Amino acid sequence: MANDKTALLLIEYQNDFTTSGGALHGAVEANMAETNMLANSTEVVQAARDAGATIIHIPISFKEGYREITNHPYGILSGVVDSNAFVAGSWGAEITDEMKPAEEDIIVEGKRGLDAFGSTNLDFILRSKGIDRIAIGGFLTNCCVESTMRSAYERGYDVVTLTDCVGATSNEEHANAIKYDYPMFSRPMTGQEFVQELSGAEVADASRGY
C-alpha cells in the first residue's frame, strides 16, 4: 500500500494536555511519563512525513463560555468545562511546540466532541485525497482516540492505533483500552512498528518503479 494513501491523525496534542501548566496536564502527566508518548509521537510524525504520509492535526477548541455544547455537560466534557480547557485563542488550546504543524500538514477545524469525524470534515479530506489507511495517536487513549478509531473502522478505513503514542488519565484505563478495545477495531502497533510498515511500503513501491 502506497504511503500517499496513508494519513497520521494527531488528536489533541495541545498544551492543556501535553504541557506543564496546562489545564488537564496533571490528569495525564503520569501516563505520559510511563509511555513516553510525546517523544515517541514526535519521532513517528517526522518519519511518517519523510515517508510521504499525510500528517493531519486534529485539535479541539471552544469559544469562551462553551456555547457550542450543552448547557449541562456531563462526563468528559464536564471535565473540560470545569477546568476551562481548550478555549479558542488561548495558550492551552495551541498545539504544543513539539508537535507544531509543518507547512505541508493539514489542520482539521471544528472538533467539538470525542469522535474526530463527528463535527469536522475529516472524512471528506481523507476520501478526497484517496487515503484509505489511517494511524491514530493522541489523547485520550480510551476517549477521543478510541472514539475516532471506532468511527474510522465503521467507515471502512484500514485503522492502526499507535499504542505508545497515546495517553490517558490513568495507566489502568490506558492499558485496558489497548488490551481489550483496540484489537476489535484496529491493528494496534507501536510507533516504530508503524514506521517500519511505512518503510516496507516505500521499498515495495520502489520495486514497482513508482
Side-chain angles (χ1 to χ4, degrees):
M1 185 182 297
N3 290 337
D4 61 1
K5 294 184 177 296
T6 298
L8 178 58
L9 307 187
L10 304 170
I11 298 178
E12 297 174 15
Y13 284 88
Q14 294 162 265
N15 287 322
D16 272 336
F17 269 144
T18 61
T19 312
S20 179
L24 296 172
H25 180 65
V28 298
E29 184 176 13
N31 186 243
M32 287 182 67
E34 177 76 16
T35 62
N36 201 33
M37 65 85 69
L38 188 55
N40 293 337
S41 297
T42 60
E43 292 177 5
V44 170
V45 169
Q46 190 57 57
R49 190 181 284 129
D50 291 344
T54 299
I55 310 301
I56 301 180
H57 303 262
I58 313 173
I60 190 171
S61 66
F62 305 90
K63 291 290 182 66
E64 188 124 18
Y66 299 93
R67 292 183 177 87
E68 300 97 331
I69 57 176
T70 174
N71 292 330
H72 306 285
Y74 62 94
I76 188 68
L77 287 178
S78 176
V80 169
V81 173
D82 291 345
S83 61
N84 201 39
F86 306 119
V87 175
S90 70
W91 169 83
E94 292 178 3
I95 295 173
T96 189
D97 287 343
E98 293 92 332
M99 300 287 283
K100 285 296 185 188
E103 184 177 355
E104 66 270 25
D105 294 355
I106 295 170
I107 302 175
V108 170
E109 300 177 353
K111 188 175 186 297
R112 302 288 183 263
L114 312 185
D115 172 15
F117 289 91
S119 58
T120 74
N121 65 345
L122 175 60
D123 193 57
F124 173 82
I125 291 171
L126 295 173
R127 296 194 189 281
S128 69
K129 295 179 70 65
I131 289 168
D132 50 27
R133 174 177 57 169
I134 64 170
I136 311 173
F139 299 91
L140 296 166
T141 308
N142 59 327
C143 187
C144 293
V145 171
E146 181 166 334
S147 293
T148 302
M149 168 195 72
R150 289 171 179 255
S151 188
Y153 181 85
E154 293 276 12
R155 285 171 163 81
Y157 291 100
D158 175 16
V159 185
V160 171
T161 40
L162 303 175
T163 57
D164 59 352
C165 298
V166 291
T169 56
S170 74
N171 292 339
E172 293 78 12
E173 290 170 307
H174 174 83
N176 184 79
I178 289 173
K179 181 177 181 179
Y180 295 109
D181 297 339
Y182 281 20
M184 295 180 67
F185 307 101
S186 73
R187 297 188 292 119
M189 62 182 73
T190 67
Q192 283 308 305
E193 288 170 338
F194 174 64
V195 169
Q196 290 168 7
E197 189 174 271
L198 289 178
S199 298
E202 282 188 299
V203 171
D205 291 346
S207 69
R208 297 186 186 101
Y210 57 87

